[in-house]
Amino acid sequence: MSEARKIVECVVNYSEGRDMDKIEKIVDPYRQAENVKLLNYEADKDYNRVVVTIMGEPEAVKNSVVESVGIAAELIDMTKHEGQHSRMGATDVVPFIPIKNMSMAEAVELAKETAKAINEAHDIPVFLYEKAASTPARENLAKVRKGQFEGMPEKLQDPEWHPDFGKNEIHPTAGVTAVGARMPLVAYNIDLDTQNVEIANKIARAIRHSGGGFRYIKAGGVEIKERGITQVTMNITDYTKTSVYRVFETVKMEAKRYGVNVLGSEVVGLVPMEALIDSAAYYLGLYGFSMDKVIETSLME
C-alpha cells in the first residue's frame, strides 16, 4: 500500500500590496507548479503587503516557494518600501502549517529545508521562528522582526541575532526572511470609526497577551488613511482556546470607553471552518452546534 499523501499549507507574506503586475509575477510559480494549489491571495494597499495561501505536497510547495521568493527579491526594493505593517524583507514570512498526514515535526523539517534553499539560491539571510525556532528567543515573530528592514543591518551584528542561514548581512534590497512552522491561525482585523490610532493601540494592548489580555492574541493598532479609520489588527494563534467572537465582543466593549464604535471586521487569507463554528453558535444562540452539523464536513471525509 502506498504511503498516505502528505499535505502542507503555506501562507507567504510579501512586502508588496499596490503593484498588481508585480504581485501576479510573484504568485505565478504557484499557478504553474504541479501538486500545488493556489488557494487565495489578498493584497492590502495600506499595509503594502500581499498574503498568499497555497497548499500541496511538501516538496512541491517548498520548490515553488523558493522560486517565488527569488522573483520577489528581483521585483521588490525594500529601501523604497512604505506601509502600515511591520516588515523586514521582500518575502517577509513563510510559515508552514501541517494539514493532512503530516506531523508538526515534519513541518519543522520542511521549514528548515526551505530556509536553507532560500539562502543558497538567493543569498537572503533567514531566521527560523515559531515551532522551527533554533532558540526560545526566536519563537516570537515580533521579536525576530523587531527593528524592521531599516534596523536589520545593525541587529544582525549582534551575535545573538546571527541568521540561522546566511551571513550576518542583509540582502541590500530584499532584506531578511523568516521561515517557520505553526498551527493554523486566524489573521483578523477589526475596524474602528476613529482616525486616532492611539485608541486602536490602547485597545490592542488590552486584548493581547503581552498586555495582560488573551493568551493567544498578538495585536496592534494601525491607521487606514484611505478609509479614514483605524484597525485593531491581530493574529489569533489558537482559535480553539480564544474564540473569534470573544475577541470581537471584547474590542467592542473596550471601544466604548473611548466613545468609539466597531464598524466591522475582516479575515485576511483563509480561515479554518472550525474557527467560525463557535461564533455562529454564540451569535445565533445555537445549542450543541458543531462541525458535525455542517454539510461540507461530510463532503470532506
Side-chain angles (χ1 to χ4, degrees):
M1 186 179 292
S2 62
E3 186 180 350
R5 187 184 182 206
K6 291 180 171 66
I7 300 294
V8 68
E9 180 186 14
C10 191
V11 186
V12 195
N13 288 226
Y14 301 92
S15 298
E16 176 56 70
R18 297 167 183 170
D19 189 326
M20 286 308 299
D21 182 56
K22 288 182 180 179
I23 290 170
E24 293 298 336
K25 289 175 181 175
I26 289 166
V27 168
D28 201 50
Y30 304 127
R31 292 195 185 94
Q32 306 300 327
E34 290 186 15
N35 299 318
V36 174
K37 186 176 179 68
L38 174 62
L39 299 178
N40 177 267
Y41 59 107
E42 294 183 24
D44 189 295
K45 292 180 180 179
D46 294 292
Y47 288 1
N48 200 5
R49 189 177 186 85
V50 64
V51 177
V52 181
T53 306
I54 61 172
M55 192 177 289
E57 295 184 355
E59 189 69 16
V61 168
K62 179 188 80 172
N63 292 337
S64 62
V65 167
V66 174
E67 182 182 350
S68 178
V69 168
I71 294 170
E74 292 175 4
L75 297 178
I76 299 172
D77 184 349
M78 292 302 295
T79 65
K80 300 175 181 176
H81 182 273
E82 294 179 350
Q84 293 288 334
H85 202 289
S86 299
R87 78 288 181 274
M88 63 181 181
T91 302
D92 198 48
V93 292
V94 184
F96 290 98
I97 303 104
I99 297 296
K100 188 176 180 182
N101 300 320
M102 191 172 183
S103 67
M104 180 57 72
E106 289 172 313
V108 167
E109 189 57 35
L110 180 63
K112 292 177 179 178
E113 291 173 4
T114 305
K116 185 173 185 287
I118 287 171
N119 175 251
E120 290 178 348
H122 310 303
D123 200 28
I124 297 170
V126 181
F127 285 114
L128 295 170
Y129 78 106
E130 283 275 358
K131 300 295 186 183
S134 55
T135 69
R138 299 184 181 197
E139 289 180 17
N140 189 334
L141 178 61
K143 289 185 178 179
V144 174
R145 196 160 49 195
K146 188 175 181 180
Q148 301 197 57
F149 173 76
E150 291 78 9
M152 279 296 143
E154 182 179 351
K155 184 174 182 175
L156 296 191
Q157 298 307 307
D158 183 341
E160 291 187 14
W161 287 102
H162 194 289
D164 291 289
F165 295 93
K167 305 186 294 280
N168 58 338
E169 299 174 7
I170 69 165
H171 185 289
T173 56
V176 181
T177 295
V179 179
R182 60 166 173 78
M183 294 304 292
L185 60 72
V186 178
Y188 187 51
N189 300 329
I190 299 177
D191 295 347
L192 306 175
D193 66 349
T194 177
Q195 296 182 46
N196 186 344
V197 74
E198 185 52 37
I199 291 175
N201 280 324
K202 287 179 179 177
I203 295 172
R205 279 196 292 272
I207 66 166
R208 68 184 178 225
H209 182 229
S210 63
F214 294 107
R215 171 65 181 83
Y216 298 100
I217 295 292
K218 299 176 181 178
V222 295
E223 183 181 5
I224 310 298
K225 291 182 180 179
E226 190 175 272
R227 296 170 57 195
I229 65 168
T230 54
Q231 283 184 337
V232 179
T233 180
M234 73 191 77
N235 285 334
I236 304 175
T237 59
D238 189 339
Y239 58 84
T240 67
K241 294 184 173 68
T242 301
S243 298
V244 175
Y245 78 81
R246 192 170 293 128
V247 179
F248 184 69
E249 291 297 326
T250 303
V251 169
K252 286 203 298 184
M253 179 182 69
E254 289 291 328
K256 285 182 180 179
R257 298 176 61 195
Y258 307 102
V260 169
N261 296 307
V262 167
L263 297 173
S265 64
E266 64 177 345
V267 170
V268 181
L270 302 185
V271 59
M273 188 189 303
E274 189 179 3
L276 303 178
I277 293 297
D278 280 352
S279 295
Y282 176 81
Y283 287 112
L284 298 178
L286 299 173
Y287 298 109
F289 190 57
S290 68
M291 286 283 288
D292 295 336
K293 293 196 173 185
V294 178
I295 291 175
E296 284 78 6
T297 300
S298 298
L299 297 176
M300 292 185 294
E301 291 178 347

